[in-house]
Amino acid sequence: MSPEKIALVAIAFSLSACAETHPTLDQTIGDCPQNVQALFDMLEGEWALSIQADEGWTGYGTSRMSWDNDQKCGLIERSVSVFNQESDTPFENRSTTHLVYDELSETLKVLTSDERGYVHIGIAVVEDPLNVDVLKPNSETPNRRIQYQNIQPDSFEWRWKGRDSAVTPWEERLAISYRKERANRL
């Protein structure tokens, strides 16, 4: 395993330990601050994905977001996407994302991994747009940002942005439109 992946795994374990919470007798799973509860309620459900990359290729997929029963206040997303659908070599990607509210820092901690070994870890303040700055293992200024924006009950946009340095502007690399197929709860 490369030193970069080892560092990311170490950060993942550190963040998961920081974000780990255990409900007390007067708390239940899903016990979130009102603004986080409202955000998670809108994100929960089954989604159809439409993907557009800055390189011009497109894709599609599905996603299911549901309450993470292992966390006091968290969601888990499982998605399957087909990237570069127009090419002779499209590829499928399966990923899992955990969004966990950390009441000590009043932030969301985000951990995403996929079957190809890609991992990103980030922290976001709960607001719209939800800007998740992806942490770097060497404490440098983040050069990747995941953004959830225009969050509505039946749609939102997910954008992956990058930049070359802390002083250059963010450039959009990948955009995914989420359209709700149905809610998980009745």
Side-chain angles (χ1 to χ4, degrees):
M1 187 180 289
S2 72
E4 292 83 11
K5 285 191 178 180
I6 291 171
L8 283 173
V9 170
I11 291 171
F13 284 120
S14 299
L15 277 177
S16 67
C18 291
E20 184 175 327
T21 58
H22 298 284
T24 61
L25 292 176
D26 62 344
Q27 295 172 320
T28 60
I29 293 172
D31 183 18
C32 301
Q34 189 173 9
N35 62 334
V36 178
Q37 177 85 34
L39 173 67
F40 284 0
D41 280 344
M42 280 197 284
L43 293 176
E44 184 186 30
E46 292 185 22
W47 301 87
L49 311 179
S50 176
I51 303 163
Q52 179 68 49
D54 65 338
E55 300 163 339
W57 55 262
T58 63
Y60 60 92
T62 60
S63 170
R64 180 183 179 111
M65 291 190 191
S66 57
W67 286 97
D68 185 345
N69 293 326
D70 293 333
Q71 299 294 330
K72 182 175 105 175
C73 180
L75 281 183
I76 187 167
E77 176 185 16
R78 298 191 193 294
S79 61
V80 178
S81 302
V82 174
F83 292 103
N84 205 7
Q85 68 181 354
E86 298 90 350
S87 78
D88 293 335
T89 57
F91 64 95
E92 183 177 277
N93 185 55
R94 296 175 183 270
S95 65
T96 302
T97 300
H98 296 270
L99 292 99
V100 178
Y101 180 72
D102 178 11
E103 62 189 334
L104 295 176
S105 64
E106 297 181 341
T107 60
L108 286 177
K109 306 277 174 79
V110 181
L111 170 64
T112 298
S113 63
D114 69 21
E115 62 191 6
R116 296 177 297 143
Y118 178 76
V119 174
H120 76 249
I121 300 164
I123 299 174
V125 175
V126 182
E127 57 187 31
D128 187 5
L130 184 63
N131 292 314
V132 180
D133 287 329
V134 179
L135 303 178
K136 296 178 80 171
N138 55 9
S139 300
E140 290 179 26
T141 302
N143 66 348
R144 289 180 289 159
R145 174 176 280 173
I146 306 299
Q147 188 176 66
Y148 296 73
Q149 65 183 35
N150 301 321
I151 301 169
Q152 303 296 317
D154 60 350
S155 66
F156 69 92
E157 302 295 320
W158 181 99
R159 300 184 182 283
W160 174 30
K161 297 181 177 190
R163 62 183 179 184
D164 295 328
S165 72
V167 295
T168 58
W170 292 102
E171 296 178 8
E172 190 167 295
R173 308 277 165 85
L174 185 68
I176 303 177
S177 296
Y178 280 66
R179 300 289 175 250
K180 189 165 276 185
E181 291 184 335
R182 65 178 183 226
N184 287 344
R185 292 186 196 178
L186 298 177

